[in-house]
Amino acid sequence: MADKDAGGSDGPRETAPTSAYSSPARSLGDTGITPLSPSHIVNDTDSNISEQQSFLVVVAIDFGTTSSGYAYSFTKEPECIHVMRRWEGGDPGVSNQKTPTTILLTPERTFHSFGYAARDFYHDLDPNEAKQWLYLEKFKMKLHTTGDLTMDTDLTAANGKKVKALEIFAYALQYFKEQALKELSDQAGSEFENSDVRWVITVPAIWKQPAKQFMRQAAYQAGLASPENSEQLIIALEPEAASIYCRKLRLHQMIELSSKAAVNGYSGSDTVGAGFTQAKEHIRRNRQSRTFLVENVIGEIWSELEEGDKYVVVDSGGGTVDLTVHQIRLPEGHLKELYKATGGPYGSLGVDYEFEKLLCKIFGEDFIEQFKIKRPAAWVDLMIAFESRKRAAAPDRTNPLNITLPFSFIDYYKKFRGHSVEHALRKSNVDFVKWSSQGMLRMSPDAMNALFKPTIDSIIEHLRDLFQKPEVSTVKFLFLVGGFAEAPLLQQAVQAAFGDKCRIIIPQDVGLTILKGAVLFGLDPAVIKVRRSPLTYGVGVLNRYMEGKHPPEKLLVKDGTRWCTDVFDKFISADQSVALGELVKRSYTPAKPSQLVIVINIYSSEHDDVSFITDPGVKKCGTLRLDLTGTSGTAVPARREIQTLMQFGDTEIKATAIDIATSKSVKVGIDFLNY
C-alpha cells in the first residue's frame, strides 16, 4: 500500500495562479501522468486463466441475516452435496438445516458460542450476569446499511456495548471453518487440512463493493484463506448461486405457481398450498438424509430455455431481497447478468419489525425499549415464539395464531406500569389482538397478514419497477428462492402480480437453494461469464489544457506546458458488461520526461458521466507507485510508456502498472475500505 502522500514534495514547481479551489493533483509534485493516445482495450481472457489449484472439497458458507449454514461436496463426487450435520437445539415449529446467526462473547470479549448454543446459553444466564455478556444477532444487516464501512465499523451487542464488526464476522467464519473441518475429518477418518478446502461465501448482490471486500477481509482474519492465496476463497453472489442450482432442478424438485395453466384440474391458486404441503412431506421424509443428489444434467425447465432467454431470480432472505436478471448463453448454458442487481432491505426481518411496532402500540414504546435492555434473553424468547407463528401464517388461514408471552414479560410489565398485560390489551385500540387466559397474545389471521403487508408490498413494487424495464419485459421464468420464499403470503402475492407475465417456480427446499448453488459454483467457478460493473473506474491524469474546453481553475503550468489537472480517465463505466477475468489496458507517459516516481491513483464512482476526479461521488480506491530510479543506465525512449491494466475478478479487482522499457511492475488490489 503506497503511503498517502507519496510524492508530496519533489522539489520546487511552478504553479498556476492559485485559486481558492484546492486540487488533489496540485500536491502530487512531479508524479503526474498523461495518456498516450490512443488508449485501447484488450480482451485476452485466455492468457490469465491460471493453473487451478486442486482442492479435495468445496465448502460453501451461507452467512445469512437470520440463519446460517454450510454445505460441501468432494471434488471427486461433485454430484453429491452434503448439508451440514443437524445442530443441537432446534426451535419448535421451525425445522431447517441452518442455525440462527447469533454469537455470544464472554464478558472478557472472547468467543464463547454460536447459533442455538449461543442463544440457549445466553438465555440460561442470570439476568444480572447476562448484562456482562455480549450477545449479537441479525448483525449482517449492518454491512448493508452502513454507508461508510471501514475495518473499524462497530456493532452493538444486546447489552448496548460496542464491538468491532470485523472481529465478529471473523469469529463467526472461524466457527464455521472449525465445524466443517471437524465434520470432514470425522467423515474421512483422517485429519482434513484447511489447504484441502476451497471456500465459498455468499453475499447479497446488492451489497456495495466495500461490504464484499469486508467479507473477504473477515475470512482472511478467520484463516479461511490469505491475501497471498486469495483464490482459495470465492465470494459468490447469492442470486447467482441460486441461479446455478435452479438450472439443475428436475420437475419433482419444484413447485410451479403460475396461473398460466391449470395443473391436473386444479386452478393455480389451489396448487399453492397443496403443492407445498406435498413438498414439505417429501422433505420431511428425506430430512434424515443430508445428502442431496444433483444430477449432472440440465433440468427439464431449463431445457425449455433457449439462447438469449431471460429469467429473474428473486432471492428473498431474512434481511434483504435481491433481484437479478440473467440471460442464457448457449451452448454451455453460461449465465450473463443482464441487469445490475437491485433490491433492498425488504427481508423477513421487516415482519419482525412490524410485530415490534405492534407491541409498542399496545404496551408503549418506553416499556418495550426498557424490556429489551433489562430482560434481553426474554425478548429473544418472545421473538422465537413469534418466528414459529410467523411461519404458520397463510392467506387462507381462519383460526387465530397464539403467541406465548414469557412470564418475565408479564411480570416486568406489571412492575413497570402498575397494571396487568391484560389491562393494556383491553385499553389499547388494537382490536384484532386479544388476550387469552392461558397467557397468550391471540392474533387474528388478518392481524398477522397485516404485519407481512409492508414488506411484501415493497417486494412486489420493486419487481413491478423491474418488469417495466425494456430488457426485462420478455422474462420467461421467475425463480423465487431464499428463506422468506417459504412464506405462502409472499408466494401468493408474487403469483397474483406476475402469474400472467411469466412462469413462477419455487425450488422445494427453497431455504437451501443458495447453499447448494454456492457449492456448485465452487466446483465450477467458470459458469458465470459476464457481470455488470457496479461502478465506473478510472485513473487521475493530466491532459493538455484547452482554452474554452477546460475550466480555468484546473489549469496547471509546468515547465512552460499548460496542463489540465484532475482529469478522470475512464477504464470501465458503471453498468458496462465485464467478462470475468477481462483485462482492460491503458497506456500513459510521465507528464515530465525526467520524473523518476510515477504515482497512479485509481478512482471509482457510481455515476457514468465523470469528467474530473473532484466530481461529487468520486472516491479514491487504489494507488500504484512505480519507482523508476536505477534505470537511467538503460536506454529509455523519449516517450516512456507506462502500461496500466485492470483485471476484473469474482468480486475483486486487481490493477497493475508496468514500465515497458524496463518491465518493472507493481500490483495493487482495489481497496474500498482503507481510503
Side-chain angles (χ1 to χ4, degrees):
M1 198 48 63
D3 41 315
K4 297 273 163 49
D5 43 38
S9 51
D10 290 50
R13 58 181 182 274
E14 302 133 63
T15 47
T18 47
S19 63
Y21 173 86
S22 117
S23 144
R26 295 252 188 273
S27 61
L28 268 184
D30 295 332
T31 57
I33 51 166
T34 183
L36 263 183
S37 45
S39 56
H40 51 300
I41 291 193
V42 181
N43 292 346
D44 41 357
T45 27
D46 302 330
S47 61
N48 58 307
I49 295 172
S50 54
E51 270 308 295
Q52 282 302 324
Q53 260 177 290
S54 55
F55 297 105
L56 298 180
V57 66
V58 169
V59 180
I61 299 175
D62 176 4
F63 193 132
T65 306
T66 44
S67 63
S68 298
Y70 65 86
Y72 57 93
S73 175
F74 295 99
T75 43
K76 286 211 170 29
E77 38 170 16
E79 57 289 334
C80 291
I81 296 179
H82 311 269
V83 176
M84 61 185 203
R85 330 179 170 175
R86 294 294 292 141
W87 294 69
E88 61 298 338
D91 284 336
V94 180
S95 65
N96 63 9
Q97 306 224 256
K98 291 192 195 165
T99 185
T101 308
T102 51
I103 197 166
L104 182 62
L105 306 187
T106 65
E108 296 75 48
R109 298 179 169 243
T110 57
F111 175 79
H112 179 272
S113 47
F114 186 89
Y116 290 115
R119 221 178 52 191
D120 297 346
F121 185 91
Y122 181 61
H123 177 243
D124 295 341
L125 285 168
D126 173 81
N128 289 322
E129 206 187 335
K131 284 185 200 129
Q132 305 308 312
W133 290 68
L134 291 95
Y135 177 78
L136 292 106
E137 58 177 1
K138 301 178 182 153
F139 47 85
K140 180 177 153 190
M141 276 306 274
K142 180 84 180 197
L143 296 200
H144 179 69
T145 50
T146 305
D148 49 352
L149 187 66
T150 68
M151 302 301 230
D152 294 324
T153 297
D154 284 323
L155 297 173
T156 308
N159 61 0
K161 292 192 175 146
K162 297 231 182 297
V163 275
K164 292 268 170 279
L166 191 68
E167 213 160 285
I168 296 298
F169 279 81
Y171 275 144
L173 291 170
Q174 192 177 345
Y175 175 77
F176 277 115
K177 174 186 151 187
E178 284 162 15
Q179 291 291 325
L181 287 175
K182 196 160 156 277
E183 180 174 337
L184 289 165
S185 301
D186 289 353
Q187 261 215 327
S190 62
E191 222 26 56
F192 242 84
E193 298 294 326
N194 188 57
S195 55
D196 297 331
V197 181
R198 163 172 262 157
W199 296 96
V200 182
I201 300 175
T202 59
V203 300
I206 46 170
W207 271 14
K208 299 262 189 291
Q209 290 293 359
K212 294 174 185 170
Q213 184 186 336
F214 185 91
M215 209 55 155
R216 188 170 270 281
Q217 285 314 125
Y220 290 160
Q221 196 163 317
L224 273 69
S226 63
E228 299 72 50
N229 202 355
S230 61
E231 57 283 351
Q232 189 178 358
L233 167 69
I234 296 177
I235 302 281
L237 305 183
E238 287 164 9
E240 287 185 349
S243 192
I244 293 166
Y245 179 66
C246 288
R247 304 170 46 167
K248 303 273 189 184
L249 283 177
R250 308 305 304 269
L251 287 173
H252 63 266
Q253 295 170 312
M254 60 194 165
I255 297 101
E256 181 157 358
L257 294 186
S258 334
S259 49
K260 280 203 160 171
V263 187
N264 313 341
Y266 285 113
S267 72
S269 55
D270 302 345
T271 55
V272 178
F276 230 75
T277 328
Q278 287 162 3
K280 282 215 171 100
E281 274 311 303
H282 173 78
I283 290 171
R284 218 167 272 132
R285 285 201 299 277
N286 292 355
R287 209 3 83 65
Q288 274 36 57
S289 135
R290 290 168 21 253
T291 300
F292 294 86
L293 280 174
V294 178
E295 299 168 56
N296 198 2
V297 295
I298 297 283
E300 288 95 340
I301 283 271
W302 209 263
S303 53
E304 293 179 31
L305 287 169
E306 291 147 19
E307 167 88 56
D309 276 352
K310 302 167 196 171
Y311 59 96
V312 182
V313 177
V314 179
D315 169 17
S316 45
T320 50
V321 170
D322 256 359
L323 313 177
T324 309
V325 185
H326 280 152
Q327 187 174 33
I328 306 292
R329 292 172 60 182
L330 295 178
E332 318 87 339
H334 284 142
L335 309 181
K336 173 178 176 178
E337 185 184 14
L338 251 204
Y339 186 75
K340 205 165 59 193
T342 56
Y346 317 126
S348 57
L349 279 186
V351 185
D352 301 358
Y353 178 62
E354 290 298 320
F355 177 61
E356 199 177 314
K357 283 201 321 208
L358 179 69
L359 292 175
C360 290
K361 200 166 155 191
I362 299 170
F363 302 108
E365 198 171 330
D366 52 346
F367 166 71
I368 296 295
E369 283 314 304
Q370 270 304 302
F371 179 69
K372 279 160 82 169
I373 293 164
K374 291 282 192 293
R375 299 280 186 275
W379 173 255
V380 169
D381 259 8
L382 175 56
M383 291 316 280
I384 292 169
F386 174 67
E387 180 68 30
S388 101
R389 299 329 299 144
K390 182 168 102 182
R391 287 167 185 265
D396 44 5
R397 190 181 174 108
T398 50
N399 49 338
L401 296 123
N402 292 324
I403 296 162
T404 312
L405 286 179
F407 171 73
S408 67
F409 184 97
I410 297 168
D411 183 52
Y412 192 69
Y413 185 77
K414 200 160 175 53
K415 285 190 186 124
F416 190 89
R417 285 268 190 259
H419 60 241
S420 70
V421 161
E422 194 176 346
H423 178 81
L425 272 158
R426 272 207 308 274
K427 202 171 92 269
S428 85
N429 48 8
V430 179
D431 46 0
F432 33 64
V433 181
K434 300 271 177 281
W435 176 247
S436 83
S437 50
Q438 300 95 20
M440 297 185 181
L441 282 183
R442 173 168 287 176
M443 291 181 77
S444 73
D446 287 351
M448 181 58 103
N449 296 1
L451 299 182
F452 278 80
K453 195 170 161 24
T455 303
I456 290 179
D457 286 353
S458 300
I459 296 174
I460 297 296
E461 185 172 341
H462 223 90
L463 270 166
R464 280 228 163 85
D465 289 350
L466 185 67
F467 272 90
Q468 296 303 304
K469 307 266 188 278
E471 355 26 352
V472 185
S473 54
T474 53
V475 162
K476 267 203 183 170
F477 292 103
L478 185 152
F479 290 103
L480 197 54
V481 302
F484 195 32
E486 290 172 6
L489 290 159
L490 176 61
Q491 294 173 12
Q492 192 203 33
V494 171
Q495 189 202 340
F498 306 105
D500 54 347
K501 292 191 177 60
C502 58
R503 291 170 61 185
I504 297 164
I505 308 286
I506 304 180
Q508 249 172 32
D509 41 358
V510 62
L512 299 174
T513 307
I514 289 159
L515 201 43
K516 295 181 197 170
V519 173
L520 292 170
F521 190 25
L523 291 165
D524 177 19
V527 59
I528 301 281
K529 275 293 192 245
V530 177
R531 284 216 177 111
R532 299 269 153 179
S533 172
L535 298 166
T536 297
Y537 294 99
V539 298
V541 301
L542 298 168
N543 273 344
R544 292 293 168 103
Y545 187 83
M546 290 162 76
E547 288 298 339
K549 180 186 164 191
H550 291 139
E553 68 271 20
K554 296 287 185 195
L555 175 65
L556 175 70
V557 182
K558 256 192 187 178
D559 301 340
T561 309
R562 293 159 66 84
W563 296 101
C564 174
T565 61
D566 301 335
V567 176
F568 187 107
D569 190 36
K570 251 189 243 185
F571 266 69
I572 200 145
S573 295
D575 231 8
Q576 195 174 327
S577 290
V578 189
L580 276 177
E582 182 167 319
L583 282 174
V584 181
K585 290 187 190 175
R586 290 268 187 284
S587 289
Y588 299 99
T589 189
K592 188 174 174 184
S594 59
Q595 77 196 46
L596 291 178
V597 174
I598 290 180
V599 177
I600 299 175
N601 286 315
I602 302 169
Y603 297 90
S604 67
S605 164
E606 295 189 8
H607 309 290
D608 268 357
D609 47 344
V610 193
S611 309
F612 295 101
I613 59 175
T614 49
D615 289 355
V618 175
K619 291 193 176 73
K620 183 168 163 185
C621 58
T623 300
L624 288 161
R625 191 163 192 266
L626 201 51
D627 186 347
L628 304 179
T629 46
T631 56
S632 49
T634 43
V636 174
R639 296 197 71 191
R640 190 164 202 156
E641 183 183 353
I642 307 294
Q643 211 175 56
T644 307
L645 304 100
M646 279 178 94
Q647 185 174 13
F648 296 84
D650 64 343
T651 40
E652 289 188 298
I653 297 159
K654 297 190 174 68
T656 314
I658 306 163
D659 174 24
I660 298 297
T662 59
S663 23
K664 256 195 178 181
S665 71
V666 284
K667 274 192 167 60
V668 65
I670 301 291
D671 185 345
F672 298 98
L673 294 172
N674 294 316
Y675 279 98

